[in-house]
């Protein structure tokens, strides 16, 4: 029987513990899991981390798991899935808003490539409120993001946000 390959696509700027939980659970659904950072050529440098940095962090986070691969792709998810022989896309869904967004993409991807299925997984309850955008915001404003990301990610965030200081607040 041929190897079942799953894709976990996203921006991963940066990968959070919520993403990690979804990726590890995807291992139960496939033999090989590709965590794929999606990017547009002209926006390589946007966000907190470059695409290469995001891929490297994903590699470090899953270093002990040979069935998980870190990659990046440009263009359509369905084209990358075809090129890599992936038959399933796995996404985490934290809320009704996430669900609507994911369902629309799942249906569009299904229309573009009928052999590609999307599976949505619920988050670990303790990570259900975590998002990469909130992690970036908290880190940039000098808050502690240690509970939300793995140690290699935390180290890199601290380097990036090293110059950040807490904004003077009205409540101090
Ligand atoms: O981290 P996100 O925002 O949930 O990731 C969204 C992502 C990267 C999975 C989605 O934007 C995507 O698949 N982009 C690749 C381009 C593409 O295929 N667009 C059509 C989607 S129906």
């Amino acid at each position: 029987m041929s190897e079942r390959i799953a894709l976990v696509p996203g921006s991963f700027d940066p990968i959070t513990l919520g993403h990690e939980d979804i990726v590890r659970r995807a291992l139960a659904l496939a033999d090989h899991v590709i965590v794929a950072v999606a990017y547009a050529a002209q926006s390589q440098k946007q966000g907190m981390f470059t695409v290469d940095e995001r891929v490297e962090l994903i590699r470090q986070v899953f270093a002990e798991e040979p069935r998980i691969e870190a990659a990046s792709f440009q263009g359509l998810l369905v084209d990358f899935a075809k090129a890599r022989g992936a038959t399933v896309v796995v996404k985490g869904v934290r809320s009704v808003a996430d669900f609507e967004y994911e369902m629309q993409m799942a249906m569009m991807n299904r229309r573009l490539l009928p052999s590609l299925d999307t599976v949505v997984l619920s988050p670990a309850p303790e990570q259900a409120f975590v998002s990469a955008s909130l992690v970036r915001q908290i880190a940039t404003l000098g808050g502690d993001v240690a509970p939300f990301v793995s140690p290699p990610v935390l180290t890199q965030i601290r380097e990036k946000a090293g110059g950040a200081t807490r904004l003077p607040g009205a409540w101090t």
Side-chain angles (χ1 to χ4, degrees):
M1 228 177 79
S2 62
E3 197 185 39
R4 188 158 173 79
I5 300 173
L7 272 187
V8 184
S11 309
F12 302 111
D13 186 28
I15 185 161
T16 66
L17 292 181
H19 293 129
E20 287 183 38
D21 171 63
I22 297 296
V23 172
R24 292 210 162 87
R25 293 179 88 83
L27 282 175
L29 307 172
D31 303 301
H32 187 75
V33 175
I34 303 173
V35 185
V37 179
Y39 72 98
Q42 63 276 24
S43 64
Q44 245 273 2
K45 287 205 157 39
Q46 277 176 7
M48 180 173 255
F49 292 98
T50 66
V51 170
D52 291 344
E53 287 170 336
R54 296 177 210 181
V55 171
E56 181 50 32
L57 282 176
I58 294 166
R59 221 168 256 145
Q60 288 177 25
V61 162
F62 297 116
E64 85 300 346
E65 181 43 79
R67 292 165 59 212
I68 299 176
E69 173 189 342
S72 61
F73 72 99
Q74 221 187 124
L76 288 176
L77 177 70
V78 291
D79 289 337
F80 184 66
K82 243 191 284 185
R84 294 300 314 267
T87 52
V88 63
V89 172
V90 178
K91 297 289 306 261
V93 169
R94 293 161 301 191
S95 62
V96 173
D98 271 4
F99 185 79
E100 282 184 9
Y101 171 65
E102 293 300 339
M103 193 50 105
Q104 186 182 17
M105 283 199 294
M107 289 192 286
M108 183 57 86
N109 283 329
R110 181 182 168 146
R111 179 66 192 267
L112 295 173
L113 181 60
S115 61
L116 186 68
D117 275 315
T118 298
V119 172
V120 295
L121 299 179
S122 62
E126 63 276 19
Q127 304 296 342
F129 57 91
V130 177
S131 71
S133 59
L134 283 181
V135 165
R136 287 198 304 275
Q137 193 180 107
I138 292 164
T140 314
L141 296 174
D144 180 21
V145 294
F148 315 125
V149 296
S150 274
V153 182
L154 185 63
T155 305
Q156 290 303 312
I157 287 178
R158 284 186 174 154
E159 268 184 34
K160 293 264 179 197
T165 49
R166 277 179 200 280
L167 292 178
W171 310 101
T172 54

